[in-house]
Structures are given as C-alpha cells and as structure tokens.
Amino acid sequence: MTQQFDVAVIGAGPGGYTAAIRAAQLGFKTVCIDDWKNTQGNPSLGGTCLNVGCIPSKALLESSENYERALHKFADHGIRTKGVSVDIAAMLARKDKIVDTFTGSIALLFKKNKVASLHGRGSFVSAGERFTLQVRDGERVEEIEATHVIIATGSVARQLPGIALDGERVLDNVGALSMTEIPRKLGVVGAGVIGLEMGSVWRRLGSEVAILEALPSFLPAVDEQIAKEAFRVFNGPLDLKIHTGVRIADVKAGKKSVAVSYADRDGTTHNVEFDKLIIAIGRVPNTAGLNSDAIGLRIDARGYIEVDEHNHTSVPNVYAIGDVVRGPMLAHKSSEEGVAVAETIAGEASHVNMDTIPWVIYTSPEIAWVGKTEQQLKSEGIPYRAGRFPFIASGRARALGETAGFTKMLAHAETDRILGVHIIGPYASELIAEAVVAMEFGASSEDIARIVHAHPTLSEAMHEAALGVHKRTLNI
Ligand code: FAD
Ligand code: NAI
C-alpha cells in the first residue's frame, strides 16, 4: 500500500533535514527523501554542507592552519619545533571521520524524532488533494503520498562553459577537498568563498597558489574597507596570488599538468601550467529530476524555484527552501528556512529575517559581516556614522599573535541603530554573533558601548568599535 505522510521533504541537506525534524516535532508524520551517496556508495545524509561543503572544508582549514602555526608561528612563542611534516592521508582521514560522524548522526536524529528516511531520487508524479511522489533508487521504485511537500534540493557547482571536470587535474569543490598529494602549483578559477578557503588550505600545506578572478574588483559584496584589507593580507603575508579582471581563454588537461591560458585586464595573454586546477565560480540551484512540470511549479530564468517571503512556491502546499531559492547560499539560511516552513505548515507565524543573516569566510584572518556595507549605505543615501577598532590594539589578539584586521560598526547617524558590522580578524566567525543579536533586537551603537565586555577578549574590539561610532574609543 502507498505510504501516506503529512509532510514529505525532498533533500536532506541542512535545509531539508532540519525542516523534517521540526515538522516531526510539531506532530506531522514526516518523510525525508535524499539521494546522496558517499564515495563508498553508501547513502549519506547532510547534503552538500556535511558531505562536501562546510564541514570537510572547515576540518581541512583547521588542520592546515595548525601546520602553518607549527611551521611559522610557534617560534614566536618560544616553542621550537624540528622536522614538522604533513601526513596528508591522516589529515584527509580525520576530515572523513568528522564527516562520517556528522552524516551518521543525522540518521540518529531522524530515528529520535521519528522522521522516516527514504534513500533515492524524489520526483513529482501528480498533484491533487495530495501529492504523489516517486522515489527511485536504481531499479527500486516506490511511490508515496503527502499533503505538504518541502523542496530542499540544494545546489551544484557552476561549470566553466566548455571546460570538463576530470576529477584528476580539473576539480570542483569535491575534488578540492580530497587531493591525496599536495600540488606544487595550484590554480583556482574564482576568488569567491570557495576559492579563498580552498586556496588557503593548499597554500598553507605548501602549494604555490594563483587565483584567477573574472571581476575587476575583489569580493565586491564585502564592505570595501574590509575587502581592501583582505586583498592586502591575502596577496601579501598569506601569499595567495590573486589576479582580478582575468578572462579564461582555454584550459587543457594533460597527464601530468593542466595548461591554462588567460587574458589579463590589459588584454595580455598568459599561458600557465598548474598541477591541479580548482573551478569555484559559484553554484547553481538544483532542480534536475524533480519533474516539476507535473505539478506546474514555477522556476525563474536563473533556475531558482520561485517563492514568496514565506517560501510558498507557485503551487499551494508546496514549499522550497535553501540554495534552491533566492537569497544567500548558506547552510544556516537553509536550516532557518526549514524551521520557518515547518512552523508555517503548522499554522504558526514564522519567518526568516534576511537582513540579519551573517556571512563568514573562514580564511586567516577570518572575514565576517552582517547587515549593510558602507558602500550600500552611501548608494542608498542613508546617513551613517562608522566606528573602527584594529586588532593590533587588542590585548587578546596580541596574546594570540593574530593582530591583522579590524572591527567596524555602522550606525544610523540620527537614530544610532546598528545597520551593519564588518570584521576581518581572528575568530571573526564567533564575534559576529554579538552583532547579529544586537541587530535582531534593534540595538543602537550606544547599547553595545554600554555593555560590559570581558577583558581581555576579542569581543572588546566590538565594544571599542561601538564607542568609535561617537568618536570615543578608549584604547586607540
Ligand atoms: P544541500 O546541502 O545542497 O542538500 C541538498 C540535498 O538534496 C543533497 O543531499 C542532494 O543530493 C539532495 N537532492 C537533490 N535533488 C534530489 C532529489 N530530486 N531527490 C532526492 N534528493 C535530492 N555554507 C555555510 O553556511 N558555511 C560554510 O562554511 C559553507 N562552506 C561551504 C563549503 C563548500 C566547499 C561548499 C560547496 C559550500 C559551502 N557552504 C557553506 C554552502 C552550504 O553547503 C549550502 O548553502 C548548504 O548545503 C545548502 O543546504 P540545502 O539544504 O539547501 O542543500
Ligand atoms: P562565489 O560566488 O563565492 O565566488 C565565485 C567567484 O567566481 C566570483 O568572485 C565570480 O566573480 C568568479 N567567477 C565567475 N565566473 C568566472 C570565470 N568565468 N572566471 C573567473 N572567475 C569567475 O562562489 P563559490 O566560491 O563557488 O562558492 C559558492 C557558494 O557556496 C558561495 O557563494 C557561498 O554561498 C557558499 N559557500 C559558503 C562558504 C562559507 O559560508 N564560508 C564557504 C564556501 C562556499
């Protein structure tokens, strides 16, 4: 007999698995359908984020940073090391173990919350009173019925037209996370989040890294002062060679290397050889195989499923969340949309505030921000004041030996309400949480300036940046 559900979720990435757990907590009979298989060919829940995204990349960033510290930074602390070397197989095994633990724990969370889990590709068969979905795993085909459907099918890496990934010389994020040898020369196409994070990992492990970026500017979505400081640090002490305004003309993968020819911003052609090339030029929404026409689902010209501010699609009782819809492609955005949609189905008032979604780039120094950039405020004609505090003046940053960067707060010139916070520096990823809370509560810079921050902590930089909005920093 066809299994009946109140809610069917397609996709078990951070959006889908969270939506399924929340729906089950709210009392709905819920199923989550996912088709991801790991390299051993086994079903592996967690989507891009857990399998080939957030989690493995952060594991490698941490390992490579430890190696870099041991090689170049311990001496400053009076710690002498000899013969430090990398065991790349052990590093990859540690990363894989972290991934396996987390993907396995989602299966346990499903059991705990009584979410049914089906492995296979989910697609629409028909819409009516209820939706009929097909779940296909190879030859095995099953049909289920559900009253509500949440689509959380995520995204896939954007391809460079005419350039095939071969898994050996030309790689996407999946290949970039599992190179078994350290390439002597590594090329990266795209100076976005993946390019900078993966470029950092392999540079720290010993590769000579060149990043080829199409746009004339570097990190255009980031506050200009922060992007300028990042460009200085990454090209300087960090030794990532970032070339902007580049047009890739040709990529030819050979047995031992890959040849790339590109034109620079003056039109001069360059021919370079790399051992490996990572393509990281953005991601595209994934609706392949959903058979969305069967229910008349509207998909926009860029491939995103059309949704309103509550993630309703064009079809009643069908919702879409995460990378497959508008908004930033971030795990925490996906999962919060998952919670909000489950609660909407339950008749609760729930929504995600797109204005306070934090961004983090896990380079060293880290970059994190929330809210508007200074260039946005200028172009929107919003009057503002800015406060800034450099980490070089922070006692804790000195103790860490990580003094590059600064914290910057932007507040409305008349109301003093915080409009944006931008950080480049140590643990920016953790520091940004205070700014998100402050903005969600409609705080003013004065509020943060009057809150006691422990000493010596990096969070004092936030306090001082808030004081700086009214030109009363105390320690600079
Ligand atoms: P996904 O995680 O893509 O999951 C979709 C799931 O649906 C997959 O398992 C897929 O196989 C399955 N699926 C698709 N179609 C079907 C179908 N028809 N039937 C059944 N199953 C289907 N974000 C951050 O916030 N922080 C980070 O540090 C970060 N690091 C990243 C690093 C890398 C290298 C990459 C590539 C991404 C990173 N991201 C990060 C982005 C983050 O991974 C995504 O925003 C997030 O995974 C999106 O979640 P999702 O649930 O929308 O989709
Ligand atoms: P991205 O959008 O961050 O960067 C892509 C870069 O490639 C851009 O700078 C773009 O101008 C450039 N580009 C595009 N076409 C090009 C071409 N033909 N030649 C040269 N350069 C070209 O995308 P990326 O790095 O692939 O990451 C995808 C998404 O995954 C991110 O936008 C983010 O949403 C998510 N992600 C988030 C992370 C985090 O939160 N720390 C980490 C990694 C990924």
Side-chain angles (χ1 to χ4, degrees):
M1 207 187 93
T2 312
Q3 289 197 74
Q4 308 283 324
F5 295 95
D6 301 319
V7 177
V9 183
I10 310 178
Y17 86 74
T18 310
I21 289 174
R22 187 72 191 114
Q25 283 175 350
L26 289 162
F28 294 114
K29 189 177 176 208
T30 305
V31 61
C32 188
I33 304 158
D34 188 79
D35 66 355
W36 196 285
K37 278 192 175 139
N38 62 17
T39 44
Q40 287 88 51
N42 298 321
S44 185
L45 300 169
T48 304
C49 174
L50 272 72
N51 287 288
V52 293
C54 327
I55 298 302
S57 61
K58 267 77 255 177
L60 289 185
L61 277 156
E62 198 59 40
S63 297
S64 60
E65 191 153 13
N66 280 336
Y67 177 58
E68 170 117 320
R69 283 189 191 118
L71 275 187
H72 303 298
K73 298 190 176 169
F74 279 5
D76 271 0
H77 295 262
I79 303 168
R80 291 193 220 296
T81 50
K82 248 195 217 140
V84 176
S85 64
V86 176
D87 178 345
I88 196 79
M91 199 178 276
L92 294 180
R94 174 183 182 272
K95 173 210 62 163
D96 291 340
K97 194 169 170 210
I98 293 172
V99 168
D100 286 349
T101 307
F102 271 87
T103 54
S105 71
I106 294 178
L108 296 177
L109 287 172
F110 277 176
K111 272 207 184 93
K112 179 182 158 210
N113 288 284
K114 301 191 174 50
V115 173
S117 181
L118 287 179
H119 180 76
R121 177 143 284 246
S123 59
F124 288 99
V125 176
S126 61
E129 194 100 315
R130 296 161 70 69
F131 296 90
T132 304
L133 299 172
Q134 184 190 78
V135 184
R136 174 182 285 277
D137 181 19
E139 296 300 299
R140 197 178 56 80
V141 181
E142 182 179 348
E143 282 196 352
I144 61 156
E145 285 183 3
T147 313
H148 304 272
V149 181
I150 303 174
I151 304 170
T153 45
S155 63
V156 291
R158 193 155 79 84
Q159 306 289 311
L160 198 56
I163 313 296
L165 300 174
D166 61 8
E168 183 51 40
R169 298 281 150 213
V170 187
L171 312 168
D172 61 5
N173 59 298
V174 180
L177 287 162
S178 47
M179 287 191 267
T180 51
E181 281 172 19
I182 300 161
R184 204 173 46 81
K185 289 183 84 177
L186 173 66
V188 180
V189 184
V193 199
I194 295 180
L196 293 171
E197 290 187 358
M198 288 294 100
S200 298
V201 165
W202 295 102
R203 208 284 302 144
R204 290 171 193 161
L205 295 176
S207 300
E208 196 182 300
V209 177
I211 305 187
L212 307 172
E213 166 61 44
L215 291 177
S217 55
F218 176 62
L219 293 178
V222 172
D223 184 88
E224 270 169 11
Q225 273 184 337
I226 299 271
K228 205 168 148 202
E229 173 72 356
F231 193 74
R232 190 188 66 75
V233 179
F234 294 166
N235 263 305
L238 223 74
D239 208 20
L240 293 172
K241 300 275 176 285
I242 303 168
H243 307 270
T244 55
V246 158
R247 197 177 54 78
I248 306 287
D250 196 22
V251 173
K252 269 205 181 71
K255 272 220 159 101
K256 294 208 163 134
S257 64
V258 46
V260 178
S261 67
Y262 68 89
D264 65 19
R265 57 175 75 210
D266 305 324
T268 311
T269 300
H270 300 259
N271 298 304
V272 276
E273 294 266 327
F274 298 109
D275 298 310
K276 304 264 185 187
L277 184 72
I278 297 171
I279 312 281
I281 57 167
R283 296 181 63 81
V284 289
N286 175 24
T287 51
L290 264 181
N291 195 25
S292 49
D293 288 348
I295 59 161
L297 192 68
R298 272 213 298 273
I299 294 176
D300 75 16
R302 295 185 309 151
Y304 291 93
I305 296 177
E306 282 184 16
V307 286
D308 66 11
E309 71 274 25
H310 293 289
N311 296 83
H312 289 119
T313 68
S314 53
V315 180
N317 295 333
V318 178
Y319 300 79
I321 58 171
D323 282 10
V324 79
V325 303
R326 83 290 174 261
M329 287 185 166
L330 295 173
H332 40 286
K333 178 261 192 185
S334 300
S335 51
E336 288 308 322
E337 283 184 332
V339 169
V341 161
E343 292 177 352
T344 301
I345 293 171
E348 295 180 7
S350 193
H351 87 294
V352 178
N353 182 0
M354 291 287 165
D355 295 335
T356 52
I357 293 180
W359 271 88
V360 179
I361 308 179
Y362 296 82
T363 41
S364 178
E366 292 182 345
I367 298 172
W369 73 96
V370 58
K372 302 229 185 238
T373 60
E374 201 165 344
Q375 63 266 26
Q376 276 175 321
L377 293 175
K378 278 184 188 148
S379 76
E380 291 170 25
I382 299 171
Y384 67 92
R385 288 178 207 272
R388 232 177 96 151
F389 188 77
F391 284 104
I392 201 150
S394 150
R396 188 65 190 277
R398 286 256 179 194
L400 285 168
E402 302 290 346
T403 52
F406 56 89
T407 294
K408 168 171 166 179
M409 184 176 286
L410 301 166
H412 197 285
E414 285 139 27
T415 64
D416 196 34
R417 190 177 175 135
I418 300 170
L419 302 173
V421 173
H422 306 269
I423 309 171
I424 176 165
Y427 297 105
S429 53
E430 304 294 337
L431 295 175
I432 201 66
E434 180 180 5
V436 178
V437 173
M439 287 181 66
E440 275 290 340
F441 282 85
S444 61
S445 78
E446 175 84 14
D447 289 325
I448 301 295
R450 293 204 175 275
I451 288 171
V452 181
H453 289 69
H455 176 75
T457 60
L458 296 170
S459 71
E460 287 170 299
M462 186 78 74
H463 186 225
E464 289 275 356
L467 285 165
V469 170
H470 293 286
K471 304 217 176 324
R472 52 192 186 96
T473 50
L474 296 166
N475 287 288
I476 192 97

